[in-house]
């Protein structure tokens, strides 16, 4: 593929994730417009909406897996690894938020396998953080994972609609994961 075609393809995939995160029912015309390409160019790369959704999902998960691998989280101290994990996961809202609001890929075995691999890495890191006392170890492992998932969803959604600043989101997720919603230690109510 020529460089221009590849660039157009990548712009289409990126635009699809962004557009569908905001409006899962958005048409391919809207995606093409956001990508700065014509509908014919979009269809040259992706013959159907389903093909584009699947590609955007698989490439987003693959990019996340690569980012997690590159961060070498398993070689870091648990607290540092947890911070790095959150710093990686929060910005991926731009690429993966649409997966939470679209139902087209629920039964896709390739997506399920890709998600399972990434989720396994995240669960392992959360378990290590709990074992080291960075996170509570008296909670079920599944609850820790689902709580992180819910915080990510909240961050991705709040950033997307402008309720919180993109740069504030990782710290909000990290602080809420570690301390919950109780008063801060400096607060008079905490004493």
């Amino acid at each position: 593929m020529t460089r221009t075609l590849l660039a157009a393809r990548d712009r289409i995939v990126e635009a699809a994730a962004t557009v569908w995160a905001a409006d899962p029912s958005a048409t391919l015309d809207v995606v093409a417009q956001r990508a700065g390409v014509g509908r014919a160019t979009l269809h040259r790369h992706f013959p159907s909406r389903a093909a584009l959704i699947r590609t955007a999902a698989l490439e987003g998960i693959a990019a996340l897996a690569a980012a997690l691998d590159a961060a070498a989280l398993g070689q870091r101290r648990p607290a540092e690894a947890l911070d790095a994990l959150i710093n990686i996961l929060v910005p991926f809202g731009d690429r993966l938020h649409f997966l939470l609001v679209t139902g087209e890929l629920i039964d896709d075995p390739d997506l399920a396998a890709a998600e399972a691999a990434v989720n396994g890495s995240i669960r392992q890191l959360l378990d290590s953080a709990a074992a080291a006392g960075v996170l509570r170890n008296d909670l079920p492992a599944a609850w820790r994972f689902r709580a992180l998932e819910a915080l990510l969803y909240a961050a991705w959604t709040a950033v997307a609609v402008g309720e919180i600043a993109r740069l504030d989101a990782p710290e909000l997720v990290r602080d809420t994961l570690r301390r919950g919603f109780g008063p801060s230690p400096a607060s008079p109510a905490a004493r």
Side-chain angles (χ1 to χ4, degrees):
M1 241 184 253
T2 68
R3 187 181 196 131
T4 304
L5 284 176
L6 194 55
R9 180 195 177 283
D10 292 345
R11 284 195 323 269
I12 293 165
V13 171
E14 182 180 319
T18 302
V19 166
W20 288 330
D23 179 6
S25 65
T27 66
L28 290 177
D29 287 333
V30 174
V31 172
Q33 183 179 20
R34 174 74 182 240
V37 301
R39 179 118 179 180
T41 299
L42 185 145
H43 281 292
R44 220 179 351 264
H45 293 286
F46 303 100
S48 67
R49 176 185 171 92
L52 178 53
I53 288 174
R54 186 171 192 276
T55 298
L58 290 171
E59 288 185 10
I61 296 288
L64 175 57
L68 292 173
D69 287 345
L73 299 174
Q75 298 171 14
R76 298 179 185 209
R77 292 174 303 136
E80 180 187 341
L82 183 63
D83 289 349
L85 173 70
I86 292 168
N87 288 337
I88 292 167
L89 291 173
V90 171
F92 263 87
D94 292 342
R95 292 193 71 177
L96 298 174
H97 183 255
F98 80 98
L99 288 175
L100 303 175
V101 293
T102 185
E104 282 99 338
L105 298 172
I106 289 174
D107 296 326
D108 187 289
D110 294 333
L111 182 61
E115 284 181 322
V118 167
N119 289 347
S121 298
I122 293 169
R123 286 175 190 270
Q124 186 176 28
L125 191 144
L126 292 173
D127 290 347
S128 295
V134 174
L135 295 174
R136 287 178 53 183
N137 65 2
D138 61 329
L139 297 173
W143 182 253
R144 282 191 299 269
F145 178 78
R146 294 297 178 196
L148 175 59
E149 210 174 37
L151 289 170
L152 286 171
Y153 176 78
W156 291 353
T157 302
V159 166
V161 299
E163 292 174 342
I164 62 171
R166 182 177 308 277
L167 295 177
D168 292 341
E171 182 58 32
L172 290 168
V173 170
R174 183 174 19 266
D175 187 59
T176 307
L177 185 66
R178 287 190 177 186
R179 295 190 337 188
F181 287 99
S184 68
S187 168
R191 293 183 202 149

